[in-house]
Amino acid sequence: MLVRTLQSLQPLRRRGHEIIVVDGGSSDGTACEAATLADRVLHAQRGRAWQLHTGACAARGAILWFLHADTEPPPGADRLIQARLATGQGDWGWFDVRLTGSRWLLRCVAWLMNRRARLSGIATGDQGMFVRRAAYDRAGGFPPIPLMEDIALSRRLRRLGRPLPIAVRLTSSSRRWEKHGIVRTILTMWGLRLAYFLGVKPQVLARYYVVHRP
């Protein structure tokens, strides 16, 4: 999936944007595969929060865009981000998402994700969050927690200003839902998020997730 994602980002790279891949200790040749398709391949402690923050610290651009390895951007995503931020109405946002699977329930999952994000002002990593570097730094970046780092950063950024979602959809892999069961995955993730909003520490949630991972 990573190679396919990086290949889809090459037009952005040709337009002068920097692509950074942060590997969290994989043993499947990820770093080698990414070497020719990225400007830099970095290594960080395993865990998305640490990997994402490592990439952000190393990036030289004024706008940061965080994309998961199994997510493909829409054509011209960089121009869409720049145009959205150029409105001056905010400093961060995300894309709507579609899932790769053809099952109708997955379309419902994507719709709910998009609707929830717009109503709450809280995005998840699957939605390709983007942010001006200055706002990212003011918010303190991704907190060093083992789970819910995307929600934590969204909360921080929301306090700084309104988000600017982009209605164009990026494509995220439905592998997790299809492999472990759509309903089970939904219930597990919603339960974890509810517990987080109620104040359960991310470290406790992470231990539960390891045991009950969908």
Side-chain angles (χ1 to χ4, degrees), residues 3-14 17 19 37 65 67 71-73 77:
V3 170
R4 185 172 176 178
T5 297
L6 290 174
Q7 288 172 339
S8 69
L9 291 171
Q10 294 312 296
L12 283 70
R13 195 181 182 195
R14 289 192 289 270
H17 300 295
I19 298 177
L37 295 170
W65 185 26
L67 201 64
T71 301
E72 291 187 53

Side-chain angles (χ1 to χ4, degrees), residues 20 22 42 44-45 47-59 64 66 133 136-137 139-145 149 153 156:
I20 298 174
V22 183
L42 306 177
Q45 177 180 337
R48 278 183 174 157
W50 290 273
Q51 290 172 250
L52 291 166
H53 189 62
T54 295
C57 291
L64 305 174
F66 302 98
R133 169 178 285 283
Y136 181 84
D137 290 341
F142 284 100
I145 55 179
E149 75 290 334
L153 179 61
R156 293 178 175 188

Side-chain angles (χ1 to χ4, degrees), residues 73-101:
D78 56 332
R79 291 166 175 160
L80 292 170
I81 292 172
Q82 290 169 328
R84 196 74 175 99
L85 292 175
T87 63
Q89 298 175 337
D91 293 319
W92 71 288
W94 61 83
F95 286 83
D96 280 351
V97 66
R98 70 161 56 91
L99 298 174
T100 55

Side-chain angles (χ1 to χ4, degrees), residues 2-174:
L2 175 61
V3 170
R4 185 172 176 178
T5 297
L6 290 174
Q7 288 172 339
S8 69
L9 291 171
Q10 294 312 296
L12 283 70
R13 195 181 182 195
R14 289 192 289 270
R15 288 196 286 272
H17 300 295
E18 180 184 35
I19 298 177
I20 298 174
V21 174
V22 183
D23 179 58
S26 64
S27 57
D28 59 358
T30 295
C32 293
E33 290 181 337
T36 60
L37 295 170
D39 295 284
R40 281 187 282 177
V41 178
L42 306 177
H43 299 274
Q45 177 180 337
R46 181 178 294 276
R48 278 183 174 157
W50 290 273
Q51 290 172 250
L52 291 166
H53 189 62
T54 295
C57 291
R60 294 187 286 262
I63 299 172
L64 305 174
W65 185 26
F66 302 98
L67 201 64
H68 287 179
D70 59 356
T71 301
E72 291 187 53
D78 56 332
R79 291 166 175 160
L80 292 170
I81 292 172
Q82 290 169 328
R84 196 74 175 99
L85 292 175
T87 63
Q89 298 175 337
D91 293 319
W92 71 288
W94 61 83
F95 286 83
D96 280 351
V97 66
R98 70 161 56 91
L99 298 174
T100 55
S102 59
R103 298 175 61 181
W104 69 268
L105 193 52
L106 289 169
R107 292 195 294 273
C108 293
V109 171
W111 185 87
L112 287 170
M113 288 172 64
N114 296 330
R115 190 65 178 163
R116 181 211 65 225
R118 288 174 180 272
L119 289 174
S120 66
I122 299 290
T124 58
D126 293 324
Q127 294 174 285
M129 295 174 64
F130 57 87
V131 59
R132 293 188 190 277
R133 169 178 285 283
Y136 181 84
D137 290 341
R138 287 202 307 275
F142 284 100
I145 55 179
L147 207 64
M148 303 295 166
E149 75 290 334
D150 44 6
I151 293 175
L153 179 61
S154 291
R155 281 175 154 181
R156 293 178 175 188
L157 291 171
R158 192 178 58 181
R159 288 195 288 268
L160 298 179
R162 57 173 290 191
L164 301 175
I166 295 177
V168 178
R169 296 184 178 189
L170 48 73
T171 303
S172 187
S173 173
S174 61

Side-chain angles (χ1 to χ4, degrees), residues 113 116 124 126 148 150-151 155 176-177 186 188-198 205:
M113 288 172 64
R116 181 211 65 225
T124 58
D126 293 324
M148 303 295 166
D150 44 6
I151 293 175
R155 281 175 154 181
R176 176 178 56 179
W177 285 273
I186 291 172
T188 299
M189 298 312 298
W190 283 9
L192 289 170
R193 290 186 185 118
L194 176 60
Y196 178 67
F197 281 120
L198 292 175
L205 297 178

